[in-house]
Amino acid sequence: MAPALRVDVLTLFPGLFDGFLGESILSRAIAKGLVDVKLWNFRDWAEGKHHQVDDRPYGGGPGMVLMAPPLVAAAEAVALMAEPVGRLIAMTPQGTRLNQSKVRELAGEPRLILVCGRYEGFDERILETLCPEQISIGDYVLSGGEVAAMVVIDAVMRLIPGVLGDAESAIDESFSPEVGLEYPHYTRPREFRGLPVPEVLLNGDHAAIERWRREQSRMRTEAAHAHATGATITVVPPERIG
Ligand code: 9WO
């Protein structure tokens, strides 16, 4: 059986993914054949005895730029290695911001090809030739696209049926970020440094617990929204009123 999701990653540093792919959930998903992740070093497509992949920028300036020929050859070869050709995505800070609805969209694809840049960036003609979709995980500069690619893989593979246990996926469905943020969690001990576990969680009234959690989740979502929009809303939990 073909995996539900195949991800091909083009990177100069495939070793960065070793620990990540060996992690429990993802390694189990790969072992079960639900997800397949293939790593490709595009240096293998570089010409010459030095297998050069980067060069100095035309027009001068600091740093090195990824050369078009090896990366474009690698992307084309990898795309044609399996069916379907897949959705080609470059990890760049100027791309569309990743969010949970984008993650859901990507999880519906049979195949993703993630391109990770390094150095100062891509020769513009790489982007013009391959026309990859560009995805950003946030407004900051990284040393390369690899960590961003791991973020995409982690978020997407969790939505592939069978990857998570039943308990974990139930949590995901009722608390995906658009629905609302998670309520606060508590476990033993009952009191930690003078901080008690809220009484409502201790008395076994499941309807009351559910109401409290829904309310907490709503407050956190509103607070996060206020923060994002710069609004000044102070959320006072009910137990602190009166
Ligand atoms: C870096 C950059 C900085 C300012 C404006 C545009 C830019 N594009 C890139 C870029 O594509 N960089 C390549 C990948 C090469 C240098 C390191 N790279 C990178 C990717 N840094 N940061 C990211 C990244 C990817 C996804 N989400 C956030 C950051």
Side-chain angles (χ1 to χ4, degrees):
M1 254 272 284
L5 175 68
R6 169 175 170 146
V7 185
D8 295 271
V9 183
L10 276 70
T11 170
L12 291 173
F13 299 97
L16 284 176
F17 290 80
D18 291 348
F20 173 66
L21 295 178
E23 180 269 339
S24 62
I25 292 176
L26 193 47
S27 71
R28 218 182 322 124
I30 293 168
K32 283 201 237 169
L34 299 169
V35 179
D36 191 9
V37 180
K38 297 237 182 298
L39 295 160
W40 307 96
N41 189 334
F42 55 86
R43 190 178 293 282
D44 296 343
W45 279 266
E47 304 272 349
K49 104 172 166 287
H50 297 294
H51 295 280
Q52 191 180 349
V53 291
D54 61 321
D55 208 339
R56 295 181 331 208
Y58 278 118
M64 302 290 268
V65 174
L66 284 173
M67 301 163 72
L71 186 40
V72 170
E76 289 174 345
V78 166
L80 294 175
M81 247 172 228
E83 296 255 25
V85 159
R87 199 154 148 177
L88 188 67
I89 299 169
M91 308 313 307
T92 66
Q94 70 266 44
T96 344
R97 176 72 68 87
L98 188 71
N99 57 26
Q100 193 64 22
S101 92
K102 189 75 180 176
V103 169
R104 274 194 290 269
E105 185 190 317
L106 297 178
E109 296 283 340
R111 187 179 181 203
L112 306 174
I113 303 180
L114 306 181
V115 181
C116 304
R118 279 271 156 176
Y119 313 115
E120 297 308 303
F122 301 99
D123 183 309
E124 191 61 24
R125 295 164 297 179
I126 294 170
L127 306 173
E128 286 174 342
T129 308
L130 297 174
C131 302
E133 186 175 343
Q134 297 183 41
I135 291 183
S136 164
I137 60 162
D139 293 337
Y140 33 77
V141 178
L142 303 169
S143 306
E146 286 81 5
V147 170
M150 289 185 228
V151 168
V152 170
I153 295 168
D154 189 288
V156 169
M157 63 96 184
R158 296 171 58 80
L159 300 185
I160 304 300
V163 167
L164 297 186
D166 289 344
E168 296 159 301
S169 35
I171 288 171
D172 255 45
E173 273 163 38
S174 45
F175 291 97
S176 81
E178 278 93 48
V179 179
L181 297 182
E182 277 203 63
Y183 52 78
H185 303 286
Y186 295 88
T187 186
R188 295 193 307 151
R190 281 274 296 259
E191 190 179 305
F192 175 69
R193 299 198 177 172
L195 301 169
V197 174
E199 200 59 40
V200 62
L201 300 177
L202 303 174
N203 61 19
D205 182 345
H206 296 292
I209 290 170
E210 199 176 318
R211 268 197 310 279
W212 181 84
R213 285 178 169 168
R214 224 187 286 282
E215 178 65 4
Q216 290 290 319
S217 179
R218 185 190 64 75
M219 289 191 307
R220 290 187 159 194
T221 305
E222 279 175 18
H225 182 74
H227 180 74
T229 59
T232 48
I233 296 173
T234 308
V235 179
V236 181
E239 66 269 22
R240 303 259 163 82
I241 298 173

